Amino acid sequence: LMKDLQNPEMMAEAKKMMDSPEFQKQMKKMSETGNFKDSMKKSADMMKDPTYAAKMEAKMEHLQKVGDEKLKEGATLAMEEAMNAMVNPEVMGDMAKMMGDPQFKAQLAKMAKDPSFQNYVNAMQDMMKDPEKKAKIEKASAAFKSQL
């Protein structure tokens, strides 16, 4: 969620949705219900308690840390799988053909600008810190370059 909040495209879509008359009508209708008003009052009252507010802040920080770790794990596994697939000459040949396609290159450039892609970049940088993985990456990179 925190990463999505930093994504300009996602935020532009959210703003577009929130600016729509249908959405505003739904929100107005919901905000007038007794349950909503009660929930908002309870939330405001709870946040006035410094102990409770600190507890919620600590919980959010922990959940964000856990979420970041899970994203990193997933990106690392994806990068390791990609590196393992590159050992296959057929896959390497297919990759070389794809890199020759201008449309694929444009798509790849667009992906690189996506903030969520940074997880994969970070995973690759972490892999390069491990001498064994670094050697494997360099070997795959050399093999790939020879296919181009």
Side-chain angles (χ1 to χ4, degrees), residues 62-120:
H62 171 73
L63 290 173
Q64 184 174 359
K65 182 179 178 187
V66 169
D68 287 346
E69 288 171 2
K70 292 291 182 186
L71 287 172
K72 184 178 176 180
E73 275 178 33
T76 299
L77 286 174
M79 295 308 294
E80 287 176 353
E81 287 175 16
M83 295 308 302
N84 290 336
M86 288 175 71
V87 173
N88 181 333
E90 190 176 314
V91 171
M92 188 70 75
D94 288 345
M95 286 176 56
K97 286 178 192 171
M98 288 169 46
M99 289 305 292
D101 178 3
Q103 194 173 11
F104 178 77
K105 284 183 181 179
Q107 185 179 2
L108 195 58
K110 184 179 177 186
M111 274 178 33
K113 292 178 184 175
D114 183 338
S116 64
F117 190 74
Q118 190 62 41
N119 293 325
Y120 298 96

Side-chain angles (χ1 to χ4, degrees), residues 22-144:
E22 301 87 30
F23 180 81
Q24 290 179 3
K25 184 179 174 183
Q26 277 184 313
M27 291 305 294
K28 184 173 180 0
K29 184 178 177 181
M30 183 182 74
S31 68
E32 292 171 349
T33 65
N35 283 343
F36 181 83
K37 288 178 182 178
D38 289 345
S39 293
M40 291 302 292
K41 184 177 179 343
K42 285 179 188 175
S43 295
D45 290 345
M46 284 189 285
M47 294 311 287
K48 288 177 186 173
D49 176 4
T51 304
Y52 183 80
K55 182 178 173 182
M56 288 295 101
E57 184 177 351
K59 188 174 185 176
M60 285 298 294
E61 287 173 2
H62 171 73
L63 290 173
Q64 184 174 359
K65 182 179 178 187
V66 169
D68 287 346
E69 288 171 2
K70 292 291 182 186
L71 287 172
K72 184 178 176 180
E73 275 178 33
T76 299
L77 286 174
M79 295 308 294
E80 287 176 353
E81 287 175 16
M83 295 308 302
N84 290 336
M86 288 175 71
V87 173
N88 181 333
E90 190 176 314
V91 171
M92 188 70 75
D94 288 345
M95 286 176 56
K97 286 178 192 171
M98 288 169 46
M99 289 305 292
D101 178 3
Q103 194 173 11
F104 178 77
K105 284 183 181 179
Q107 185 179 2
L108 195 58
K110 184 179 177 186
M111 274 178 33
K113 292 178 184 175
D114 183 338
S116 64
F117 190 74
Q118 190 62 41
N119 293 325
Y120 298 96
V121 172
N122 293 342
M124 188 60 89
Q125 288 172 343
D126 286 347
M127 289 171 68
M128 291 297 281
K129 293 175 186 172
D130 179 330
E132 187 178 311
K133 289 178 183 177
K134 182 178 180 177
K136 189 174 183 178
I137 291 168
E138 289 172 345
K139 182 179 176 183
S141 177
F144 181 70

